[in-house]
Amino acid sequence: MRFGLYLVFAWTGFWGGHWLGNLIGWEFIKVGQLNLGTATIGSIIVMGIGYWLSLVQVEPERKAGKKL
């Protein structure tokens, strides 16, 4: 399940970085029409954020009447 989540983050960051690079006008490691440099940077950033968000652990709530 986690692999699929990382794959979605990677693709989202890749195409988001490509789109942002075209929008701003940055040309960094351009291969044909593909802005490979900004796409790779976007992918790494979004995967890093996704990894950081996946570290969050939710603890179950304690019931009010029970004492430990």
Side-chain angles (χ1 to χ4, degrees), residues 62-68:
R62 296 183 188 172
K63 296 192 178 185
K66 291 186 177 180
K67 293 183 180 179
L68 294 176

Side-chain angles (χ1 to χ4, degrees), residues 18 22 26-36:
H18 168 72
N22 281 339
W26 287 355
E27 292 186 3
F28 175 60
I29 309 177
K30 194 160 184 156
V31 178
Q33 292 295 317
L34 185 62
N35 233 345
L36 194 59

Side-chain angles (χ1 to χ4, degrees), residues 3 28 44 52-53 55-57 61 64-65:
F3 178 73
F28 175 60
I44 291 169
W52 179 64
L53 288 175
L55 294 176
V56 174
Q57 295 180 0
E61 293 183 24

Side-chain angles (χ1 to χ4, degrees), residues 1-45:
M1 171 138 168
R2 190 170 282 201
F3 178 73
L5 184 64
Y6 289 149
L7 193 60
V8 169
F9 284 145
W11 278 105
T12 303
F14 184 86
W15 291 112
H18 168 72
W19 176 78
L20 187 64
N22 281 339
L23 184 70
I24 295 174
W26 287 355
E27 292 186 3
F28 175 60
I29 309 177
K30 194 160 184 156
V31 178
Q33 292 295 317
L34 185 62
N35 233 345
L36 194 59
T38 56
T40 303
I41 292 171
S43 179
I44 291 169
I45 290 172

